[in-house]
Amino acid sequence: MPAYATNMRMKFPIVALVLEIITIILFAVFVDYDDGKGHGHEDHSNGTHSENPPMKLYPMFQDVHVMIFIGFGFLMTFLKRYGFSSVGINLLLAAFGLQWGLLMQGIWHLDNGKIKMNIFKMINADFSTATVLISFGAVLGKTSPVQLLIMTILEITIFSINEHLVVEIFKANDVGASMIIHAFGAYFGLAVARVLYRPALRNGHENDGSVYHSDLFAMIGTVFLWMFWPSFNSAIAEGPLLQLTAVINTYLSLAACVLSAYAISSLVEHKGKLDMVHIQNATLAGGVAVGTCADMSIGPFGAMLIGFVAGIISTLGFKLLSPILASNLGIQDTCGVHNLHGMPGILGGLAGIVAVALGKKDGNAAMQAAALASSLGFALVGGAITGFIMKLPFWGQPPDQNCFDDSIYWEVPEEEEENEESLAHADHSKNKAEV
């Protein structure tokens, strides 16, 4: 691994400030407040939502916002020495991503040359940010803040093109975004991770793991995501009845998913014990997998069946597939986004094809398939190109020995390091005494 300059003192401030100044200028030119016409679901409406109060979707927006900033942020705090970066960089990427997402998505829906901001567009901007945070999970611990800002601007731009193609051209149904957010974000991140492959990490890294309290922090993220996922899947559904359908389907899918994830975790682990990695992640797979079908009349049992299957494939993915991806394909997926977002996202896309073919919602099964193929294609190609750009040696990426360590980019309290050393010494002494 070449010796890279990791000092961020000039690189990061320049990149962050330049990107924000450009964004402010673009907002000055293109963005204005909504004038009160067509509030809410204008981009997907059939003309029945124009009288919706401007703040009607604000509770949904709050729920999605919590998922983005608390849910995703804390879910990634499982690494024992990377908690600052997990929560802190998550905040950075989400804050920039939602601004860039408003521009990239809004540019397709100009009103007299302006992007008219409202709560609906803010929700969609948060959705675009979710793709970046999913991809962030695949490269967690192995990238610099500058690299990740570059990834954010490129990924959201590519995402907005694919989203426009899926929603406006193919007219596909994907209300909970199993395909255009989860599958896209996962395979984009995996493509980036493959290009940024580090041979020296093939056999692991001492900091690529958790401790008791870091796993507990990650469960905070899991619980927040699990609680608010019905809002994520129903926020942009058309009308109250379809929103209710999406909430119920997601609610049931998540519940069934928990049982299957716990069961399979116990089945595949030594002495039937539960693995916290499975519980933190696979319990959420039901929310991902039911996304495409969320507002379809698949029946409560159908939603539960999707969640049940999602929990199984996600848990087995963590146990069986992740080691194969790392050893045979050179894809070092830190958070296992392939198991939580990738495979369940594809499952959701396939379920959507079947549901539309069975007439559970108006649409074209072939267009549903095209939407899934488009999302995977844009993700893999876009991720590979982005990875090669991120691989350029002047972005301040960490050397192998400093991966998964906050101290390379953050001021870490000295007492924290001393406490960890003393605890490690105490544990060692205790073990010797017991022997």
Side-chain angles (χ1 to χ4, degrees):
M1 183 80 181
Y4 295 123
T6 57
N7 191 319
M8 291 282 104
R9 187 158 195 174
M10 293 303 294
K11 295 174 188 174
F12 177 67
I14 289 173
V15 171
L17 291 175
V18 167
L19 288 177
E20 186 58 32
I21 289 169
I22 292 171
T23 304
I24 290 171
I25 293 170
L26 290 172
F27 266 67
V29 174
F30 290 108
V31 182
D32 202 354
Y33 303 116
D34 195 302
D35 57 10
K37 297 177 182 176
H39 280 293
H41 300 66
E42 71 277 11
D43 296 333
H44 298 268
S45 75
N46 56 12
T48 61
H49 302 98
S50 58
E51 296 182 2
N52 279 343
M55 294 295 287
K56 181 177 180 180
L57 286 175
Y58 189 67
M60 291 287 195
F61 164 72
Q62 285 181 306
D63 292 352
V64 173
H65 224 43
V66 166
M67 290 179 69
I68 297 297
F69 288 92
I70 297 179
F72 279 106
F74 277 91
L75 183 64
M76 292 185 280
T77 58
F78 69 96
L79 291 172
K80 56 189 171 185
R81 295 184 62 84
Y82 211 65
F84 284 13
S85 297
S86 299
V87 177
I89 302 300
N90 185 90
L91 172 60
L92 171 72
L93 301 184
F96 175 62
L98 65 87
Q99 297 173 70
W100 193 249
L102 277 163
L103 289 169
M104 291 299 100
Q105 292 174 304
I107 209 75
W108 301 101
H109 306 286
L110 293 176
D111 183 355
N112 294 323
K114 294 287 186 180
I115 299 168
K116 298 296 181 71
M117 271 198 68
N118 55 31
I119 302 297
F120 181 77
K121 284 191 171 70
M122 290 163 62
I123 292 172
N124 270 322
D126 273 12
F127 284 170
S128 71
T129 298
T131 62
V132 175
L133 302 182
I134 291 166
S135 301
F136 176 36
V139 297
L140 188 71
K142 300 168 291 188
T143 43
S144 72
V146 176
Q147 283 180 298
L148 292 167
L149 282 175
I150 300 302
M151 184 180 81
T152 299
I153 197 168
L154 293 173
E155 181 168 4
I156 287 179
T157 302
I158 297 167
F159 160 80
S160 68
I161 296 170
N162 179 63
E163 181 192 42
H164 180 75
L165 184 65
V166 168
V167 175
E168 303 295 337
I169 308 301
F170 296 155
K171 304 291 184 185
N173 295 294
D174 194 20
V175 69
S178 297
M179 300 181 288
I180 61 176
I181 291 178
H182 297 290
F184 178 91
Y187 288 100
F188 191 102
L190 293 173
V192 172
R194 180 62 189 90
V195 174
L196 299 182
Y197 174 66
R198 292 171 179 259
L201 300 183
R202 186 181 182 89
N203 297 318
H205 188 286
E206 60 179 346
N207 290 330
D208 185 12
S210 64
V211 290
Y212 191 86
H213 69 267
S214 67
D215 269 336
L216 198 56
F217 269 111
M219 274 302 292
I220 294 173
T222 299
V223 172
F224 269 99
L225 289 168
W226 200 91
M227 287 169 58
F228 290 119
W229 215 294
S231 295
F232 189 96
N233 282 356
S234 64
I236 62 171
E238 293 183 30
L241 286 178
L242 291 181
Q243 278 193 325
L244 176 61
T245 301
V247 167
I248 292 172
N249 284 340
T250 308
Y251 175 84
L252 293 172
S253 181
L254 284 165
C257 177
V258 170
L259 273 294
S260 63
Y262 270 73
I264 301 302
S265 179
S266 175
L267 182 67
V268 299
E269 286 302 320
H270 183 60
K271 294 184 178 179
K273 295 183 178 181
L274 299 170
D275 188 327
M276 203 56 165
V277 173
H278 304 159
I279 306 310
Q280 289 161 359
N281 295 278
T283 52
L284 301 169
V288 175
V290 82
T292 300
C293 296
D295 64 342
M296 300 183 190
S297 300
I298 56 175
F301 78 94
M304 296 169 77
L305 183 60
I306 290 172
F308 184 80
V309 174
I312 293 172
I313 65 170
S314 181
T315 308
L316 291 177
F318 277 102
K319 183 65 178 178
L320 305 175
L321 198 54
S322 288
I324 294 173
L325 291 179
S327 60
N328 296 347
L329 298 180
I331 299 174
Q332 296 159 333
D333 180 7
T334 306
C335 290
V337 299
H338 184 239
N339 310 308
L340 172 53
H341 300 279
M343 292 190 295
I346 290 176
L347 174 64
L350 296 174
I353 295 169
V354 173
V356 170
L358 293 176
K360 301 301 182 182
K361 188 168 185 180
D362 292 340
N364 186 318
M367 290 297 100
Q368 293 292 131
L372 179 57
S374 170
S375 298
L376 296 177
F378 271 99
L380 292 170
V381 175
I385 294 170
T386 301
F388 281 112
I389 294 172
M390 291 169 67
K391 200 171 185 177
L392 297 173
F394 45 75
W395 299 125
Q397 51 264 58
D400 293 335
Q401 65 270 24
N402 296 115
C403 287
F404 314 108
D405 192 340
D406 278 332
S407 62
I408 192 169
Y409 299 120
W410 294 82
E411 289 287 351
V412 178
E414 291 182 12
E415 61 268 21
E416 177 69 19
E417 296 177 357
E418 292 170 1
N419 286 341
E420 287 186 1
E421 290 175 6
S422 63
L423 283 171
H425 179 71
D427 287 344
H428 181 66
S429 302
K430 180 182 176 183
N431 291 338
K432 285 181 67 179
E434 288 174 352
V435 171

